[in-house]
Amino acid sequence: MKNIGEQFRRRHDTLAARIFLLIALGMVTAVIISLLAADHARRQDFARITLERVVASTEDIISRFQRAPVETQMMLAEGRIIGAHASPAGARPTATDQALTALLAKRLGASFHPTAGQAPVEACWDKEQNASGAVAAGLNGALRPQCWIVTFTDPNGVRRALAIDLPSLTLPRSAALSPIFLLIIVAAGAVLALLAARLAAAPIAHLSRAAQSFSLSSDPEPLPEHGPEEVRAALSTFNLMQSRIREGFRERTQLLAAISHDLQTPLTRLRLRLEQVEDEALRERLISDLAATQKLVREGLDLARSTESEEDPSTVYLDPLLQSVAEDASEFGDRVTFADGCGASVRVKPNALLRCLGNLIDNAVKYGGDAELRCFREEGQFVITVRDHGPGVPPDALETLFKPFVRGETSRSRTTGGTGIGLTIARAQARTFGGTVTLENHLQGGLVARVTIPA
């Protein structure tokens, strides 16, 4: 359960996941808020239109009073004006509608002192009309109008009260907030957020892979500089960093080569002078120490050069290569066998791979007595193993053996020599084509060197 939680956290603790969540939540929230605001505006417009209809009816009645006050009063009393009639005695609005009152005052003028509000329908209709029980198919209750009581003072100073009847209309329910519509919004937001997250995180992921490749290979290819301006700037800076690091490696190698070359002359003169030492035993010891010094200088230069490779990558078939390496080593009397192949071809630097394998085979034969070569595919990569049947190495010393001039003799064989840079050079050569070299103890004994090559 803990592993599942850790995997979930790693999968969702990425830049793409964060961008996806941010955009998806932002888009869905913004759309829902917009829909709620639109629905609120729709309700306000519906209420405003209702008030406008009350005001329009009131203005019409007032204009009639101004043209023919007596006739208008009779028509109101007899109910001959549709939508308006004289307010029944005692009819009062439930509460004064401030918005409607303000709108009437604005349209009619403050001198009319209007007040208005909605009243129960029973207040506008007499008992006989309310008890008539008239209905219409599919419209039960819909024929009962809204009742608005409007009072005002006409230009003659008479305070009048009107009952304005409006058809009872119901605001339809908004479909924008239905579950299906919201589900469509969430799905569309998720798809757009996913596309945006992938587009935004793709350059970062590309740069991350390039940095990882650079950590494994000392000579990676420059990244193509395309994309938005900020991405191009980052890729250009990364390529410049790679170029300067490679230039630093070359300068270091050139410096060591120059030092090694300059040391050859005094070391050669020193050897000539040592030949003149009369004490033979002393002369042999001194010459042996000088030879060891020259060997250290040469191997130090080899170690520096191992991090560089001017060789161009090419496609190599692993099985024939491993078979050839095993046969060449056997010709010199070493016990080297090619046990199993993988039938694969890889793109590597052939000479770098050969030198890497050569150092591993030499190490296996020197310390374990033999070398067994195998090749197989594992997790999308190709693995070459070089196994010996020696005593192995303590687990805590496996990684230490890759450090320059560190030897494993104390745990393996006290009779062998070496300066301790063979494994270091093998790993450095593998890195020139993006490979890795690791060590592990075999369950049945012996040491296994693994060369992992990207597929």
Side-chain angles (χ1 to χ4, degrees):
M1 192 68 182
K2 183 178 180 181
N3 292 335
I4 295 177
E6 183 66 18
Q7 292 178 0
F8 180 83
R9 186 191 65 81
R10 289 182 178 179
R11 179 173 296 181
H12 292 79
D13 191 21
T14 62
L15 179 62
R18 294 182 180 184
I19 293 176
F20 168 77
L21 290 176
L22 182 62
I23 296 178
L25 291 177
M27 290 180 61
V28 172
T29 302
V31 171
I32 291 178
I33 291 177
S34 298
L35 290 176
L36 292 175
D39 186 68
H40 179 69
R42 186 173 71 101
R43 294 178 181 276
Q44 286 188 324
D45 289 341
F46 184 82
R48 179 180 55 79
I49 291 173
T50 300
L51 298 183
E52 290 282 357
R53 291 165 63 197
V54 174
V55 172
S57 296
T58 304
E59 287 180 323
D60 178 70
I61 298 300
I62 291 176
S63 66
R64 289 174 181 270
F65 269 116
Q66 291 176 341
R67 294 193 304 270
V70 176
E71 182 181 358
T72 300
Q73 183 66 35
M74 291 178 59
M75 294 177 67
L76 288 173
E78 296 173 359
R80 287 187 291 157
I81 299 178
I82 298 176
H85 56 86
S87 175
R92 296 286 184 275
T94 305
T96 300
D97 191 314
Q98 299 297 333
L100 178 57
T101 300
L103 187 60
L104 285 169
K106 180 179 179 181
R107 297 280 287 273
L108 301 178
S111 60
F112 282 80
H113 304 291
T115 60
Q118 189 172 7
V121 66
E122 293 81 3
C124 294
W125 296 77
D126 56 32
K127 294 183 180 180
E128 293 183 359
Q129 290 175 310
N130 287 326
S132 64
V135 296
L139 298 174
N140 292 346
L143 295 179
R144 295 163 63 87
Q146 296 180 358
C147 177
W148 295 84
I149 304 298
V150 179
T151 59
F152 61 91
T153 303
D154 65 12
N156 297 322
V158 179
R159 191 70 177 171
R160 298 185 181 276
L162 294 176
I164 305 297
D165 306 325
L166 296 180
S168 182
L169 299 178
T170 303
L171 180 66
R173 183 180 177 182
S174 175
L177 298 179
S178 67
I180 295 179
F181 196 77
L182 293 178
L183 182 61
I184 293 175
I185 293 174
V186 172
V191 171
L192 292 176
L194 181 61
L195 294 176
R198 287 187 173 182
L199 289 175
I204 304 299
H206 185 48
L207 192 61
S208 176
R209 288 191 297 269
Q212 184 178 11
S213 175
F214 184 59
S215 69
L216 299 176
S217 173
S218 59
D219 190 25
E221 297 181 359
L223 297 176
E225 300 175 9
H226 55 75
E229 180 180 355
E230 296 82 0
V231 175
R232 294 198 305 271
L235 294 176
S236 176
T237 303
F238 185 81
N239 287 334
L240 178 62
M241 178 194 69
Q242 287 189 128
S243 176
R244 289 182 176 177
I245 291 176
R246 285 195 299 267
E247 185 63 29
F249 285 153
R250 283 193 289 268
E251 291 178 356
R252 182 194 65 178
T253 302
Q254 292 172 359
L255 177 61
L256 291 175
I259 293 174
S260 177
H261 179 270
D262 293 342
L263 283 175
Q264 292 302 322
T265 300
L267 289 175
T268 302
R269 288 200 304 265
L270 182 59
R271 182 180 179 84
L272 292 175
R273 291 174 180 173
L274 289 177
E275 294 290 346
Q276 300 175 6
V277 175
E278 296 181 356
D279 188 333
E280 183 177 354
L282 176 61
R283 183 174 65 250
E284 293 299 328
R285 289 196 301 270
L286 292 175
I287 292 176
S288 177
D289 291 341
L290 179 61
T293 302
Q294 290 176 320
K295 184 178 181 181
L296 283 173
V297 172
R298 288 193 300 271
E299 291 188 346
L301 181 60
D302 287 343
L303 177 60
R305 286 175 175 170
S306 66
T307 59
E308 294 187 40
S309 177
E310 300 295 334
E311 182 183 8
D312 293 328
S314 61
T315 302
V316 173
Y317 292 91
L318 292 180
D319 291 357
L321 176 69
L322 296 177
Q323 183 68 44
S324 175
V325 169
E327 292 175 354
D328 291 344
S330 298
E331 290 179 359
F332 289 95
D334 296 331
R335 294 169 53 195
V336 181
T337 59
F338 175 48
D340 193 14
C342 54
S345 61
V346 293
R347 186 168 179 80
V348 296
K349 296 182 177 182
N351 292 333
L353 177 58
L354 285 173
R355 188 175 184 190
C356 172
L357 293 175
N359 282 14
L360 295 177
I361 291 172
D362 290 343
N363 193 73
V365 171
K366 182 183 296 183
Y367 294 106
D370 69 332
E372 182 183 274
L373 307 182
R374 293 180 182 273
C375 175
F376 55 90
R377 189 181 184 99
E378 181 181 80
E379 295 181 356
Q381 296 178 321
F382 294 105
V383 180
I384 300 173
T385 61
V386 180
R387 181 196 173 189
D388 63 46
H389 293 80
V393 173
D396 57 352
L398 291 174
E399 190 62 27
T400 306
L401 293 179
F402 287 103
K403 295 181 179 180
F405 306 107
V406 174
R407 298 167 59 199
E409 283 188 80
T410 57
S411 61
R412 308 185 76 183
S413 173
R414 296 182 180 275
T415 62
T416 56
T419 55
I421 63 171
L423 290 176
T424 307
I425 293 177
R427 174 174 278 185
Q429 289 293 304
R431 284 179 173 174
T432 62
F433 54 80
T436 60
V437 178
T438 57
L439 296 176
E440 61 184 29
N441 288 307
H442 198 277
L443 295 177
Q444 298 177 358
L447 189 68
V448 179
R450 291 168 53 96
V451 181
T452 304
I453 304 173

